[in-house]
Amino acid sequence: MVKIPTAKTDDEGVGTGEMDVAFDVIASKEVNERVEFSGFAGFIFRGDPEGIDLSNGLRWGFGVGVPSRKSLRFTAELHGESYLSDSVTIESPMVTPLLATDGTGPALVTDLNSPINATFGLTWQGSNGVFAGAGINWNLNMKARDKYFSGFDDRTGDAAGWQFRIGYHPGVRVYVAPAPPPPPPPPPAAAPTHNLTVRAQ
């Protein structure tokens, strides 16, 4: 996976403005045509914007889907990332555009907490390939607001997020083994033999 750096960091600050690259190994297995298990592991390289040192990380996750061959499926996943650095550092605050409207800026060092997310959802898929789903994602490793800031009340929505999706998938063909070749025809019957004897006088 490659993230193309199209964000305008100088004007809007909606992205890093640098390219990210991620590599994952994905495996899945269906058991008894009822339950599907899957898992992945990989690595992500994050591009550092000018003056900021971001962290790369090890990505991981596994999940289960039941029933695997019905129109309505329940999925549960546990996925996250292990950061290789324990903080994000602003190396040169003079070159970063990260300023609030009141002129304040971020801390020069921000501690990182590797995310661990639990996701639960339902997906419906029609016979024509159209599907729709909804789910909830919960960051198990996110601390409450009062752990970071004084004077703020905790909000459960900080760690939770809803997902809604609709799409189309044409499906995949089911492999059907070719029919075995017909048996060879039986060999022709052997011609009858006649033992003739002649007596002459």
Side-chain angles (χ1 to χ4, degrees):
M1 179 179 65
V2 177
K3 185 201 77 175
I4 301 174
T6 58
K8 299 178 180 179
T9 56
D10 294 340
D11 299 333
E12 301 174 5
V14 295
T16 63
E18 302 293 334
M19 185 171 65
D20 297 343
V21 179
F23 301 92
D24 292 328
V25 175
I26 305 169
S28 66
K29 176 68 175 178
E30 186 183 33
V31 178
N32 294 332
E33 298 184 356
R34 295 183 178 182
V35 182
E36 185 172 8
F37 298 94
S38 63
F40 79 94
F43 194 87
I44 182 169
F45 301 88
R46 291 185 173 90
D48 294 329
E50 185 179 3
I52 300 178
D53 184 17
L54 299 179
S55 176
N56 301 323
L58 298 172
R59 296 155 44 91
W60 58 270
F62 55 90
V64 61
V66 289
S68 59
R69 301 200 179 195
K70 298 294 184 181
S71 58
L72 186 63
R73 179 184 303 181
F74 170 76
T75 54
E77 304 173 11
L78 189 66
H79 54 97
E81 181 180 342
S82 179
Y83 295 133
L84 300 185
S85 176
D86 57 2
S87 64
V88 171
T89 304
I90 297 179
E91 300 172 342
S92 178
M94 299 304 295
V95 299
T96 60
L98 302 176
L99 292 178
T101 56
D102 61 358
T104 59
L108 297 181
V109 177
T110 302
D111 293 334
L112 291 178
N113 201 12
S114 297
I116 300 176
N117 300 293
T119 304
F120 305 94
L122 286 173
T123 301
W124 172 86
Q125 183 163 3
S127 58
N128 59 356
V130 175
F131 67 87
I136 185 172
N137 186 76
W138 192 276
N139 189 340
L140 304 177
N141 226 8
M142 175 175 276
K143 296 180 181 179
R145 290 190 187 193
D146 60 2
K147 304 298 182 184
Y148 299 100
F149 309 102
S150 60
F152 285 92
D153 296 331
D154 294 342
R155 295 288 187 271
T156 56
D158 291 344
W162 289 95
Q163 302 176 12
F164 300 95
R165 61 177 179 253
I166 186 170
Y168 171 77
H169 190 289
V172 295
R173 294 181 178 178
V174 177
Y175 174 76
V176 178
T193 57
H194 300 280
N195 297 324
L196 304 177
T197 60
V198 177
R199 290 182 181 182
Q201 290 183 350

